PDB file of all heavy atoms in Angstrom:
ATOM      1  N   TYR A 153     -28.899 -11.473 -13.231  1.00 98.00           N
ATOM      2  CA  TYR A 153     -29.518 -12.717 -12.780  1.00 98.00           C
ATOM      3  C   TYR A 153     -28.645 -13.357 -11.709  1.00 98.00           C
ATOM      4  O   TYR A 153     -27.495 -13.690 -11.952  1.00 98.00           O
ATOM      5  CB  TYR A 153     -29.688 -13.638 -13.982  1.00 98.00           C
ATOM      6  CG  TYR A 153     -30.209 -15.031 -13.720  1.00 98.00           C
ATOM      7  CD1 TYR A 153     -30.915 -15.358 -12.554  1.00 98.00           C
ATOM      8  CD2 TYR A 153     -30.016 -16.034 -14.665  1.00 98.00           C
ATOM      9  CE1 TYR A 153     -31.382 -16.630 -12.343  1.00 98.00           C
ATOM     10  CE2 TYR A 153     -30.489 -17.318 -14.464  1.00 98.00           C
ATOM     11  CZ  TYR A 153     -31.164 -17.616 -13.301  1.00 98.00           C
ATOM     12  OH  TYR A 153     -31.640 -18.893 -13.081  1.00 98.00           O
ATOM     13  N   VAL A 154     -29.199 -13.509 -10.513  1.00 98.00           N
ATOM     14  CA  VAL A 154     -28.493 -14.162  -9.409  1.00 98.00           C
ATOM     15  C   VAL A 154     -28.710 -15.665  -9.540  1.00 98.00           C
ATOM     16  O   VAL A 154     -29.803 -16.177  -9.281  1.00 98.00           O
ATOM     17  CB  VAL A 154     -28.993 -13.654  -8.045  1.00 98.00           C
ATOM     18  CG1 VAL A 154     -28.236 -14.345  -6.912  1.00 98.00           C
ATOM     19  CG2 VAL A 154     -28.848 -12.141  -7.947  1.00 98.00           C
ATOM     20  N   LEU A 155     -27.676 -16.369  -9.950  1.00 98.00           N
ATOM     21  CA  LEU A 155     -27.796 -17.805 -10.167  1.00 98.00           C
ATOM     22  C   LEU A 155     -27.802 -18.561  -8.835  1.00 98.00           C
ATOM     23  O   LEU A 155     -27.241 -18.080  -7.842  1.00 98.00           O
ATOM     24  CB  LEU A 155     -26.650 -18.304 -11.055  1.00 98.00           C
ATOM     25  CG  LEU A 155     -26.852 -18.135 -12.566  1.00 98.00           C
ATOM     26  CD1 LEU A 155     -26.790 -16.674 -12.978  1.00 98.00           C
ATOM     27  CD2 LEU A 155     -25.818 -18.947 -13.350  1.00 98.00           C
ATOM     28  N   PRO A 156     -28.406 -19.734  -8.809  1.00 98.00           N
ATOM     29  CA  PRO A 156     -28.488 -20.513  -7.562  1.00 98.00           C
ATOM     30  C   PRO A 156     -27.171 -21.249  -7.282  1.00 98.00           C
ATOM     31  O   PRO A 156     -27.114 -22.485  -7.298  1.00 98.00           O
ATOM     32  CB  PRO A 156     -29.638 -21.483  -7.837  1.00 98.00           C
ATOM     33  CG  PRO A 156     -29.583 -21.698  -9.317  1.00 98.00           C
ATOM     34  CD  PRO A 156     -29.160 -20.377  -9.905  1.00 98.00           C
ATOM     35  N   VAL A 157     -26.130 -20.490  -7.011  1.00 98.00           N
ATOM     36  CA  VAL A 157     -24.792 -21.071  -6.887  1.00 98.00           C
ATOM     37  C   VAL A 157     -24.694 -21.991  -5.674  1.00 98.00           C
ATOM     38  O   VAL A 157     -23.970 -22.997  -5.705  1.00 98.00           O
ATOM     39  CB  VAL A 157     -23.729 -19.949  -6.833  1.00 98.00           C
ATOM     40  CG1 VAL A 157     -22.336 -20.531  -6.611  1.00 98.00           C
ATOM     41  CG2 VAL A 157     -23.740 -19.147  -8.118  1.00 98.00           C
ATOM     42  N   ARG A 158     -25.400 -21.666  -4.611  1.00 97.00           N
ATOM     43  CA  ARG A 158     -25.335 -22.532  -3.426  1.00 97.00           C
ATOM     44  C   ARG A 158     -25.840 -23.934  -3.755  1.00 97.00           C
ATOM     45  O   ARG A 158     -25.217 -24.938  -3.390  1.00 97.00           O
ATOM     46  CB  ARG A 158     -26.155 -21.935  -2.283  1.00 97.00           C
ATOM     47  CG  ARG A 158     -26.079 -22.752  -0.996  1.00 97.00           C
ATOM     48  CD  ARG A 158     -26.800 -22.070   0.132  1.00 97.00           C
ATOM     49  NE  ARG A 158     -28.231 -21.910  -0.145  1.00 97.00           N
ATOM     50  CZ  ARG A 158     -29.109 -21.359   0.681  1.00 97.00           C
ATOM     51  NH1 ARG A 158     -28.688 -20.885   1.843  1.00 97.00           N
ATOM     52  NH2 ARG A 158     -30.371 -21.261   0.369  1.00 97.00           N
ATOM     53  N   GLU A 159     -26.961 -24.030  -4.476  1.00 98.00           N
ATOM     54  CA  GLU A 159     -27.507 -25.328  -4.859  1.00 98.00           C
ATOM     55  C   GLU A 159     -26.601 -26.031  -5.867  1.00 98.00           C
ATOM     56  O   GLU A 159     -26.428 -27.252  -5.820  1.00 98.00           O
ATOM     57  CB  GLU A 159     -28.919 -25.162  -5.433  1.00 98.00           C
ATOM     58  CG  GLU A 159     -29.969 -24.758  -4.423  1.00 98.00           C
ATOM     59  CD  GLU A 159     -29.953 -23.256  -4.100  1.00 98.00           C
ATOM     60  OE1 GLU A 159     -29.128 -22.516  -4.695  1.00 98.00           O
ATOM     61  OE2 GLU A 159     -30.776 -22.829  -3.269  1.00 98.00           O
ATOM     62  N   ILE A 160     -26.027 -25.260  -6.775  1.00 98.00           N
ATOM     63  CA  ILE A 160     -25.083 -25.844  -7.740  1.00 98.00           C
ATOM     64  C   ILE A 160     -23.857 -26.380  -7.003  1.00 98.00           C
ATOM     65  O   ILE A 160     -23.329 -27.446  -7.347  1.00 98.00           O
ATOM     66  CB  ILE A 160     -24.692 -24.781  -8.790  1.00 98.00           C
ATOM     67  CG1 ILE A 160     -25.910 -24.439  -9.653  1.00 98.00           C
ATOM     68  CG2 ILE A 160     -23.534 -25.267  -9.656  1.00 98.00           C
ATOM     69  CD1 ILE A 160     -25.753 -23.194 -10.498  1.00 98.00           C
ATOM     70  N   SER A 161     -23.428 -25.678  -5.965  1.00 98.00           N
ATOM     71  CA  SER A 161     -22.307 -26.143  -5.159  1.00 98.00           C
ATOM     72  C   SER A 161     -22.615 -27.484  -4.494  1.00 98.00           C
ATOM     73  O   SER A 161     -21.758 -28.375  -4.433  1.00 98.00           O
ATOM     74  CB  SER A 161     -21.956 -25.098  -4.101  1.00 98.00           C
ATOM     75  OG  SER A 161     -20.988 -25.581  -3.198  1.00 98.00           O
ATOM     76  N   LEU A 162     -23.835 -27.639  -4.014  1.00 98.00           N
ATOM     77  CA  LEU A 162     -24.224 -28.912  -3.394  1.00 98.00           C
ATOM     78  C   LEU A 162     -24.158 -30.054  -4.404  1.00 98.00           C
ATOM     79  O   LEU A 162     -23.709 -31.162  -4.074  1.00 98.00           O
ATOM     80  CB  LEU A 162     -25.630 -28.800  -2.810  1.00 98.00           C
ATOM     81  CG  LEU A 162     -25.782 -27.891  -1.592  1.00 98.00           C
ATOM     82  CD1 LEU A 162     -27.248 -27.750  -1.208  1.00 98.00           C
ATOM     83  CD2 LEU A 162     -24.972 -28.421  -0.415  1.00 98.00           C
ATOM     84  N   LEU A 163     -24.600 -29.785  -5.643  1.00 98.00           N
ATOM     85  CA  LEU A 163     -24.505 -30.805  -6.685  1.00 98.00           C
ATOM     86  C   LEU A 163     -23.050 -31.178  -6.935  1.00 98.00           C
ATOM     87  O   LEU A 163     -22.722 -32.358  -7.108  1.00 98.00           O
ATOM     88  CB  LEU A 163     -25.137 -30.285  -7.981  1.00 98.00           C
ATOM     89  CG  LEU A 163     -26.655 -30.101  -8.003  1.00 98.00           C
ATOM     90  CD1 LEU A 163     -27.080 -29.438  -9.311  1.00 98.00           C
ATOM     91  CD2 LEU A 163     -27.363 -31.443  -7.838  1.00 98.00           C
ATOM     92  N   CYS A 164     -22.192 -30.184  -6.948  1.00 98.00           N
ATOM     93  CA  CYS A 164     -20.766 -30.445  -7.166  1.00 98.00           C
ATOM     94  C   CYS A 164     -20.174 -31.295  -6.044  1.00 98.00           C
ATOM     95  O   CYS A 164     -19.405 -32.246  -6.298  1.00 98.00           O
ATOM     96  CB  CYS A 164     -19.994 -29.127  -7.273  1.00 98.00           C
ATOM     97  SG  CYS A 164     -20.356 -28.169  -8.768  1.00 98.00           S
ATOM     98  N   ARG A 165     -20.541 -30.980  -4.824  1.00 97.00           N
ATOM     99  CA  ARG A 165     -19.997 -31.730  -3.696  1.00 97.00           C
ATOM    100  C   ARG A 165     -20.490 -33.175  -3.701  1.00 97.00           C
ATOM    101  O   ARG A 165     -19.733 -34.102  -3.373  1.00 97.00           O
ATOM    102  CB  ARG A 165     -20.364 -31.033  -2.384  1.00 97.00           C
ATOM    103  CG  ARG A 165     -19.417 -29.896  -2.038  1.00 97.00           C
ATOM    104  CD  ARG A 165     -19.744 -29.263  -0.712  1.00 97.00           C
ATOM    105  NE  ARG A 165     -20.558 -28.073  -0.885  1.00 97.00           N
ATOM    106  CZ  ARG A 165     -20.904 -27.241   0.095  1.00 97.00           C
ATOM    107  NH1 ARG A 165     -20.520 -27.499   1.327  1.00 97.00           N
ATOM    108  NH2 ARG A 165     -21.632 -26.176  -0.153  1.00 97.00           N
ATOM    109  N   GLU A 166     -21.736 -33.368  -4.076  1.00 97.00           N
ATOM    110  CA  GLU A 166     -22.280 -34.729  -4.154  1.00 97.00           C
ATOM    111  C   GLU A 166     -21.507 -35.578  -5.148  1.00 97.00           C
ATOM    112  O   GLU A 166     -21.359 -36.792  -4.959  1.00 97.00           O
ATOM    113  CB  GLU A 166     -23.756 -34.678  -4.567  1.00 97.00           C
ATOM    114  CG  GLU A 166     -24.687 -34.146  -3.477  1.00 97.00           C
ATOM    115  CD  GLU A 166     -26.096 -33.931  -3.996  1.00 97.00           C
ATOM    116  OE1 GLU A 166     -26.344 -34.241  -5.196  1.00 97.00           O
ATOM    117  OE2 GLU A 166     -26.956 -33.458  -3.223  1.00 97.00           O
ATOM    118  N   ARG A 167     -21.015 -34.944  -6.198  1.00 97.00           N
ATOM    119  CA  ARG A 167     -20.327 -35.672  -7.265  1.00 97.00           C
ATOM    120  C   ARG A 167     -18.807 -35.542  -7.182  1.00 97.00           C
ATOM    121  O   ARG A 167     -18.097 -36.045  -8.048  1.00 97.00           O
ATOM    122  CB  ARG A 167     -20.832 -35.179  -8.627  1.00 97.00           C
ATOM    123  CG  ARG A 167     -22.278 -35.595  -8.876  1.00 97.00           C
ATOM    124  CD  ARG A 167     -22.954 -34.695  -9.889  1.00 97.00           C
ATOM    125  NE  ARG A 167     -24.307 -35.149 -10.205  1.00 97.00           N
ATOM    126  CZ  ARG A 167     -25.355 -34.953  -9.426  1.00 97.00           C
ATOM    127  NH1 ARG A 167     -25.216 -34.307  -8.276  1.00 97.00           N
ATOM    128  NH2 ARG A 167     -26.549 -35.397  -9.766  1.00 97.00           N
ATOM    129  N   GLY A 168     -18.305 -34.827  -6.179  1.00 97.00           N
ATOM    130  CA  GLY A 168     -16.867 -34.677  -6.016  1.00 97.00           C
ATOM    131  C   GLY A 168     -16.206 -33.851  -7.099  1.00 97.00           C
ATOM    132  O   GLY A 168     -15.050 -34.087  -7.435  1.00 97.00           O
ATOM    133  N   VAL A 169     -16.932 -32.865  -7.632  1.00 98.00           N
ATOM    134  CA  VAL A 169     -16.413 -32.020  -8.711  1.00 98.00           C
ATOM    135  C   VAL A 169     -16.062 -30.652  -8.129  1.00 98.00           C
ATOM    136  O   VAL A 169     -16.922 -29.998  -7.518  1.00 98.00           O
ATOM    137  CB  VAL A 169     -17.442 -31.861  -9.845  1.00 98.00           C
ATOM    138  CG1 VAL A 169     -16.889 -30.956 -10.947  1.00 98.00           C
ATOM    139  CG2 VAL A 169     -17.828 -33.219 -10.410  1.00 98.00           C
ATOM    140  N   PRO A 170     -14.833 -30.170  -8.285  1.00 98.00           N
ATOM    141  CA  PRO A 170     -14.471 -28.850  -7.754  1.00 98.00           C
ATOM    142  C   PRO A 170     -15.198 -27.733  -8.491  1.00 98.00           C
ATOM    143  O   PRO A 170     -15.433 -27.807  -9.700  1.00 98.00           O
ATOM    144  CB  PRO A 170     -12.957 -28.777  -7.963  1.00 98.00           C
ATOM    145  CG  PRO A 170     -12.666 -29.763  -9.048  1.00 98.00           C
ATOM    146  CD  PRO A 170     -13.688 -30.848  -8.915  1.00 98.00           C
ATOM    147  N   LEU A 171     -15.519 -26.685  -7.749  1.00 98.00           N
ATOM    148  CA  LEU A 171     -16.288 -25.556  -8.269  1.00 98.00           C
ATOM    149  C   LEU A 171     -15.449 -24.282  -8.261  1.00 98.00           C
ATOM    150  O   LEU A 171     -14.760 -23.981  -7.290  1.00 98.00           O
ATOM    151  CB  LEU A 171     -17.539 -25.339  -7.408  1.00 98.00           C
ATOM    152  CG  LEU A 171     -18.371 -24.075  -7.663  1.00 98.00           C
ATOM    153  CD1 LEU A 171     -19.004 -24.094  -9.044  1.00 98.00           C
ATOM    154  CD2 LEU A 171     -19.441 -23.919  -6.572  1.00 98.00           C
TER     155      LEU A 171
END
Side-chain angles (χ1 to χ4, degrees):
Y153 175 20
V154 180
L155 277 70
V157 176
R158 183 175 62 179
E159 290 80 1
I160 293 166
S161 173
L162 291 174
L163 291 174
C164 291
R165 277 183 263 186
E166 288 172 2
R167 291 157 176 78
V169 179
L171 171 65

